[in-house]
Amino acid sequence: MTPAAAAVREEWREDRRVLLRDGLSRARSWSFVRAFLWIALPITAQALMAASRTVVDVFMTSSLGFEEVAVVGYGSRIVFILILLVLGICNGAGVIVAQFYGGGAQTRARDAIGTTVLLSVAISTLGFGLVFALSGPLAGRSSDDPAIQALTLDYLIPASAMVLPYAAAFGLAVGLRSVGRPGLATAAAIVGLLANVFLNWVLIFGNLGAPALGVSGAAYASVLSFGIEALIVAICAAAFYDRGLFSLARVPGYLNADTVRKVLKVGLPIAAGSVIWAVGIFMYSVITAQAGPKALAVLALVTPIESMAIAVMIGLSSTANVIVGQALGRGDFRGAAVDAVSLVLWTVIAALVMGAALWCAKPVLLWLYAGAGASVLSVTDTVFNVLACVLVIRAINVTLVVGILRAGADTVSPIIMDVGAQWLVAIPLTAAAVLWLGLPFPWVFLAINAEEMARLGMALWRVTRFPWLRRIRPEHTP
C-alpha cells in the first residue's frame, strides 16, 4: 500500500466521520450529480434493455404454458453463466481502460478498447463451444420429464449462441463508457430491444409467414437481435469516437502484451468469480426443479424482474467503477474514497426506489403473466414481496464489490465472498428448504437470497480496509 493510500486508511480509522461527511457533501454537489447521471443513465438504460429481453421472452412464451416458461427460465440461467463470463473479462478490461484514460494515456486507452473486444469474443466462443458440447447432460437436469428435457435442448443450443454477438456489443460498450462516452451504445441497445420484440412475435408464433418455433423462436430472436445491436454499436463507435477502431493496422496495438497481461490479470479472476457465482445461480434452478415444474415456473417468472433490478444495480456499479477507476488513475486516492461513499449513498436511494416501484407494479406484472395460471401467480405474488425487501442489500453489495473493489483491481476477495456466501450459506439453506423441509417457495426464495446477507458483512469489511486504493499504469505510454 502506497503512503497516500495508507493515509486514507489511517484517516478512516481515526475519525471516519470526516470521510463520511465529505462523501455526503460530494453526493449532494451538482458537479458530482451531473457526472454521475451522465455516466449512469446511459449504462443503466442499456443494461435494462438487455435484461428486458428475458422479460419479453418469458412474457411471450407464458401463453404457451408453464412448461415453456420453466424451460426458458432454466435455459436462461445457463446462458447467464456465459454472459457473466463475458462480463468478467469486459469489466476487468473496463478497469484498465478507465485507469489508463484517467491517467492521461489516451492512445493506450483507445487500444485497450480493441483488446476488450478481441478477448471478450474469444472467451465467448470458448464458452459457447463448452455449452454446445454439454447441451445433452445440461438439458437432462431440467426435469425428469423427457418432453421437458427435449424442449430445453431445443431452446438451449440456439440461446447459448447469442453470447457471441453479445460479447462484441458489450465489449465495445464497456470500453466506450470507460472513456466517458457511454451514450454511444444506448441507441444500439434500443434498436436491439425493439428487434428482439419484433423477432419474438414473428418466430415464436409464426407470424408473417415464418414457422411457429415456440421457445426455439425466442432463442433465435435473441441471437439475431444481439447481432443487430453489435453491428450498430460498432458503427456508432467508429463514426463518433474512433474512426480507425476497426483498422487492421491497429491490431498489433490491441495485442500489446502489457495491455493484454493487465486485462487478463484483472479480468480472469473476475470472470472466474462470476462463473462460480453463476454456477451457484444455476444450482438454485437445479434444486428448485426438484420441487416440480410449477416451482421452477415461479422462479422463471421472478428471474426476469430480478434481472431488470440487477441491471439497474449493474448500471450503478459500472458508474462507480468508472468514477472511482478514473480517480485512482489520477492518483487521487482520497478523492476515490470520498467518491465511493457518495456512490454507496446513491445506491441505497436507487434501491429503495426500485423496491417501492416493484411493489407498486405487482398487479401489472401478474396481469402480464396471466397465461402461467392462477396457482403459479399466487406464489409469484408473495415472492415479489420478498424480492422488493432484499433489493437494498443486494444493490449495496453490487456497488461495493463490482463498483469499488474491482475499480482498484481487487479481484480475489470477491471470489472468496461468493464462494463463502453462496456455497457455504445459501445453497445448503436452499437445499434444506426444498429437499428436507419441503417449505413453500417464498421461503425457498428467501433462502436463496441469504447469500446477500452473508456477503454484505464481508464486503463492508473488505472495502473499509482499502486494498482497492491502487493505481494501474501502462508500462509504455506513447
Side-chain angles (χ1 to χ4, degrees), residues 237-271:
F240 301 109
Y241 174 66
D242 185 355
R243 292 186 180 276
L245 184 62
F246 300 104
S247 170
L248 291 178
R250 296 273 294 276
V251 172
Y254 299 160
L255 298 178
N256 176 279
D258 174 49
T259 304
V260 172
R261 183 172 62 252
K262 283 180 166 63
V263 168
L264 292 179
K265 184 177 180 180
V266 178
L268 285 180
I270 295 176

Side-chain angles (χ1 to χ4, degrees), residues 209-414:
L213 299 177
V215 293
S216 296
Y220 287 119
S222 295
V223 177
L224 293 172
S225 62
F226 271 122
I228 293 170
E229 181 176 334
L231 178 61
I232 294 175
V233 73
I235 293 172
C236 289
F240 301 109
Y241 174 66
D242 185 355
R243 292 186 180 276
L245 184 62
F246 300 104
S247 170
L248 291 178
R250 296 273 294 276
V251 172
Y254 299 160
L255 298 178
N256 176 279
D258 174 49
T259 304
V260 172
R261 183 172 62 252
K262 283 180 166 63
V263 168
L264 292 179
K265 184 177 180 180
V266 178
L268 285 180
I270 295 176
S274 297
V275 169
I276 291 172
W277 179 76
V279 170
I281 295 293
F282 175 64
M283 285 300 300
Y284 295 142
S285 294
V286 172
I287 295 170
T288 302
Q290 306 308 306
K294 287 189 177 180
L296 196 60
V298 172
L299 186 61
L301 292 178
V302 173
T303 296
I305 308 304
E306 187 180 21
S307 297
M308 293 189 72
I310 292 175
V312 176
M313 299 173 197
I314 289 174
L316 295 172
S317 65
S318 298
T319 304
N321 202 272
V322 172
I323 292 175
V324 174
Q326 290 186 2
L328 293 174
R330 295 190 300 269
D332 183 8
F333 292 158
R334 192 180 190 281
V338 171
D339 285 340
V341 173
S342 304
L343 291 159
V344 170
L345 292 174
W346 275 98
T347 297
V348 172
I349 294 171
L352 290 172
V353 171
M354 282 192 296
L358 173 59
W359 190 81
C360 293
K362 273 199 314 174
V364 176
L365 294 173
L366 295 174
W367 175 78
L368 289 173
Y369 291 148
S375 60
V376 172
L377 293 182
S378 64
V379 180
T380 305
D381 188 339
T382 305
V383 172
F384 276 150
N385 291 333
V386 178
L387 177 60
C389 293
V390 301
L391 283 181
V392 174
I393 297 175
R394 178 173 291 184
I396 294 172
N397 283 337
V398 172
T399 294
L400 291 176
V401 176
V402 179
I404 297 173
L405 290 179
R406 289 180 179 171
D410 183 7
T411 56
V412 175
S413 62

Side-chain angles (χ1 to χ4, degrees), residues 386-464:
V386 178
L387 177 60
C389 293
V390 301
L391 283 181
V392 174
I393 297 175
R394 178 173 291 184
I396 294 172
N397 283 337
V398 172
T399 294
L400 291 176
V401 176
V402 179
I404 297 173
L405 290 179
R406 289 180 179 171
D410 183 7
T411 56
V412 175
S413 62
I415 298 177
I416 298 173
M417 293 178 200
D418 286 341
V419 171
Q422 194 175 61
W423 291 89
L424 300 181
V425 177
I427 289 177
L429 286 177
T430 304
V434 173
L435 303 177
W436 302 331
L437 302 177
L439 295 177
F441 186 74
W443 288 100
V444 175
F445 189 73
L446 187 61
I448 290 173
N449 282 277
E451 70 169 89
E452 300 297 339
M453 305 168 198
R455 186 182 287 111
L456 179 61
M458 293 185 285
L460 286 171
W461 182 87
R462 184 66 175 175
V463 167
T464 54

Side-chain angles (χ1 to χ4, degrees), residues 60-141:
M60 288 190 163
T61 55
S62 65
S63 62
L64 303 177
F66 70 82
E67 291 91 350
E68 282 78 4
V69 172
V71 165
V72 172
Y74 177 85
S76 295
R77 295 234 163 183
I78 297 174
V79 175
F80 187 53
I81 296 175
L82 295 178
I83 288 176
L84 284 179
L85 185 65
V86 172
L87 285 173
I89 291 296
C90 289
N91 285 330
V95 170
I96 304 303
V97 176
Q99 290 225 19
F100 283 3
Y101 182 80
Q106 306 291 335
T107 301
R108 289 295 300 279
R110 287 173 180 266
D111 284 349
I113 295 176
T115 306
T116 304
V117 175
L118 290 178
L119 289 178
S120 63
V121 171
I123 291 292
S124 68
T125 302
L126 292 174
F128 169 69
L130 183 62
V131 171
F132 183 84
L134 299 176
S135 57
L138 289 172
R141 300 295 299 175

